[in-house]
Amino acid sequence: MQINTIKTIKTSPIIYNYLRDDSIHYKYLIRDPSHLKQIENLAKEKYKLRSVDKIEKLKNNIDLLKTFMDVLN
């Protein structure tokens, strides 16, 4: 594995934790270092860090607040 790939893994806690959980991806990184971008996307999907997930979480919080306000009225 290339040194730059290792440094990127070590400096990104999202990728590092994902690779600890799903270590099969190390095999793909050794063969093709450009697989790192796909791993980053998979990690964001697993840990719900995509913008779609953030919007969904915000929507849920607003709905919860709305429900709470309705109960108070």
Side-chain angles (χ1 to χ4, degrees), residues 5-59:
T5 306
I6 294 171
K7 286 182 182 179
T8 304
I9 292 170
K10 293 287 185 178
T11 58
S12 176
I14 297 167
I15 296 173
Y16 183 73
N17 289 333
Y18 182 75
L19 286 172
R20 289 185 66 183
D21 292 341
D22 296 327
S23 59
I24 189 72
H25 292 285
Y26 277 115
K27 177 173 73 173
Y28 302 120
L29 279 176
I30 291 171
R31 293 179 184 165
D32 182 21
S34 65
H35 188 68
L36 191 62
K37 188 66 176 169
Q38 293 173 344
I39 291 174
E40 183 179 13
N41 291 335
L42 290 171
K44 286 181 179 181
E45 183 178 338
K46 180 177 181 178
Y47 298 125
K48 299 186 186 286
L49 298 174
R50 299 177 300 168
S51 58
V52 174
D53 296 323
K54 291 178 182 180
I55 292 171
E56 184 68 29
K57 184 177 177 181
L58 179 64
K59 180 185 167 283

